[in-house]
Amino acid sequence: MRFESTRRHGFMGDRGGITTVLFGILLPILMVGIGGSIEISRAVEYKQRLISATDLSCRQAEVYVESLTGLSMPSGYGATVQSYADKNRSERGLTATAQITATPTVSSTVLTTPPLSVRPGNIHVVATGSVGLFFKKFLNKDSVDFSVTRDCNVQAASSSGPPTMMMSESFEGYASQLVGGWAVFGTMSQANCTSSICQGKSWGTTNAGVEVDQLSAITTGDGVQYGKSFAELDSDCSNQVGTRTTAQQNACTRGNNTTNSSINMIFNLAVGTYEVRYVYTARKNVGAYQYPNDAIICSNPKDTDGLTRDGDVAKNAAGTSTVALDGQTRRIELWVEPKSSGYKSDDQALTATTDPTYVKQYMTDVCIWSKTWIERSYKFSVTKQQDYRISWRAAGLDDSFGGLIDYLRFCQNSCP
């Protein structure tokens, strides 16, 4: 059908009018959609900062109380407990929008404050915060409110000395080198070393290297808890940055991708007590290898046993290498090895069957699944001064899908 010129002009005018009407109808919907997406992102980032501040306040106050000797507490110790909450609220930019209180209590179930002269059994932290909305007119809501609580058990006996941070790493220093939100490093810079035992030392890596991410989409549950970056040790062989190491070249040859890698550092340790802490979560979107969302499948560092550790090495009983454990592709192992051991954890063929004594002695922690970030802790004593290597190693399938780790710390006595 052919339109006459006058009729065609009228039709185009009508269509323009329809477009204007449709745009007027759809604009609020579009604004709600776009605005909602932006606000969700802002709210998630705010909640992560609030959770981080709460967790750290609880843990730091607990360590402080445990560092005090005897059952009688010094006057004013309650104010010191609260000072950790104030410091973390300020450091995470929450001063104007959140309140965080840290209180010594009798226990996690009896939230009453004991007499100031009596050693508490718990630190109770409550955080409330609110993030204002930019699109409040369209969303018909002024703000999103959050509340977080944490309880940290205080040991009855005091620690062996004041908590001293010796090394920490949260992978924030690599942001400028990431490509599309992630990158793989064979050569890594120095960690944050506050002690002479690690100053000037850089991280060691194996195989494909260490993947540093800022992609919260691959975490399960609660985004990135400490800063914006974290590490994945079952690293992709692509997107490598910086100098490609010999280990990377060997691991990433065609048809022989050894993506399970490790990050490690060697310390010369004097006689004393030490603690390793880190946070772990399982990467999501990994095909058929799923566990119940509310399950946490990790070892018990207080009763480490490389043969039976919470049943998580059951598939290993036949001598199958950990790199072939199909359901444990998110597996992260913590190794603490003295120099005299020969650092055998570099051999991925090492199993609880091939060398059960070695695994039981030096594989100190294992996690294969947690939906949300959980904090792990391992304490050990040094009776003879020598070098110790601390390693986080990926195991399970070599498939570039692994466990995620963040906020690695190494401390004398305990971690603040």
Side-chain angles (χ1 to χ4, degrees):
M1 178 180 294
R2 184 170 63 89
F3 290 103
E4 295 179 6
S5 60
T6 54
R7 294 289 302 275
R8 183 167 62 244
H9 176 77
F11 173 79
M12 294 298 289
D14 290 343
R15 188 170 65 180
I18 293 171
T19 302
T20 301
V21 171
L22 287 175
F23 183 77
I25 294 172
L26 294 175
L27 179 60
I29 299 174
L30 291 171
M31 290 299 293
V32 169
I34 297 171
S37 177
I38 294 172
E39 300 294 15
I40 288 173
S41 177
R42 291 180 62 243
V44 168
E45 189 272 337
Y46 182 89
K47 182 183 179 183
Q48 290 166 2
R49 285 189 285 137
L50 192 66
I51 290 174
S52 175
T54 308
D55 287 343
L56 287 173
S57 299
C58 193
R59 172 60 186 163
Q60 290 168 355
E62 171 206 337
V63 170
Y64 159 70
V65 173
E66 289 183 345
S67 72
L68 301 173
T69 58
L71 297 177
S72 180
M73 298 291 97
S75 61
Y77 91 98
T80 303
V81 167
Q82 177 59 36
S83 72
Y84 291 105
D86 297 337
K87 177 175 68 72
N88 284 296
R89 184 178 67 148
S90 175
E91 288 180 350
R92 279 150 190 80
L94 299 167
T95 302
T97 60
Q99 292 294 325
I100 305 177
T101 59
T103 309
T105 63
V106 173
S107 70
S108 59
T109 55
V110 183
L111 300 179
T112 56
T113 303
L116 292 179
S117 61
V118 176
R119 189 179 190 86
N122 178 71
I123 302 296
H124 183 64
V125 182
V126 177
T128 57
S130 177
V131 55
L133 301 179
F134 292 150
F135 294 85
K136 55 187 177 183
K137 289 185 178 180
F138 292 101
L139 300 175
N140 196 30
K141 189 176 180 65
D142 290 333
S143 63
V144 178
D145 302 324
F146 296 102
S147 178
V148 181
T149 62
R150 289 291 186 272
D151 286 280
C152 295
N153 181 54
V154 175
Q155 298 298 319
S158 60
S159 69
S160 55
T164 304
M165 180 81 76
M166 304 175 77
M167 179 279 294
S168 66
E169 176 66 85
S170 58
F171 306 102
E172 300 304 309
Y174 301 91
S176 63
Q177 301 176 68
L178 304 186
V179 181
W182 66 288
V184 180
F185 298 84
T187 302
M188 303 191 75
S189 61
Q190 298 174 16
N192 177 24
C193 292
T194 57
S195 169
S196 60
I197 68 168
C198 68
Q199 286 177 0
K201 293 183 179 181
S202 298
W203 286 108
T205 68
T206 63
N207 298 330
V210 174
E211 182 176 321
V212 177
D213 288 283
Q214 288 189 342
L215 304 176
S216 59
I218 71 174
T219 65
T220 51
D222 55 353
V224 186
Q225 197 166 4
Y226 296 97
K228 296 182 179 179
S229 302
F230 54 89
E232 180 180 4
L233 297 183
D234 193 343
S235 307
D236 200 303
C237 275
S238 60
N239 216 18
Q240 293 177 348
V241 301
T243 303
R244 197 178 199 199
T245 64
T246 301
Q248 286 181 304
Q249 293 173 352
N250 294 336
C252 295
T253 55
R254 182 174 298 178
N256 186 36
N257 287 354
T258 307
T259 56
N260 278 335
S261 60
S262 67
I263 181 172
N264 59 74
M265 188 172 287
I266 296 173
F267 305 91
N268 186 265
L269 301 182
V271 173
T273 302
Y274 299 88
E275 182 180 30
V276 183
R277 297 187 79 91
Y278 68 104
V279 293
Y280 163 90
T281 189
R283 175 174 174 166
K284 68 178 180 182
N285 301 328
V286 189
Y289 306 128
Q290 304 290 339
Y291 294 92
N293 283 339
D294 58 350
I296 294 177
I297 306 178
C298 293
S299 68
N300 178 3
K302 294 181 180 179
D303 185 27
T304 50
D305 185 340
L307 295 174
T308 61
R309 187 172 288 119
D310 286 358
D312 103 279
V313 292
K315 293 184 180 181
N316 198 266
T320 304
S321 170
T322 54
V323 299
L325 294 175
D326 57 1
Q328 299 190 13
T329 184
R330 305 174 182 88
R331 179 182 175 117
I332 294 290
E333 302 168 351
L334 172 66
W335 292 78
V336 178
E337 301 163 281
K339 184 177 181 179
S340 58
S341 72
Y343 302 146
K344 294 181 182 179
S345 66
D346 283 345
D347 181 4
Q348 290 192 310
L350 178 69
T351 72
T353 299
T354 61
D355 197 338
T357 300
Y358 192 89
V359 172
K360 183 174 181 178
Q361 278 187 298
Y362 303 125
M363 188 169 73
T364 60
D365 193 27
V366 174
C367 276
I368 63 174
W369 172 261
S370 175
K371 180 183 177 182
T372 58
W373 289 100
I374 58 170
E375 188 171 34
R376 308 296 299 165
S377 168
Y378 174 71
K379 288 188 175 183
F380 65 101
S381 297
V382 172
T383 57
K384 177 184 178 181
Q385 180 166 349
Q386 64 173 310
D387 286 349
Y388 277 78
R389 191 179 72 171
I390 299 175
S391 306
W392 287 264
R393 188 184 85 162
L397 288 182
D398 270 317
D399 59 0
S400 77
F401 296 97
L404 311 179
I405 59 174
D406 197 6
Y407 198 35
L408 317 182
R409 285 150 291 163
F410 179 56
C411 311
Q412 188 171 19
N413 299 317
S414 55
C415 287

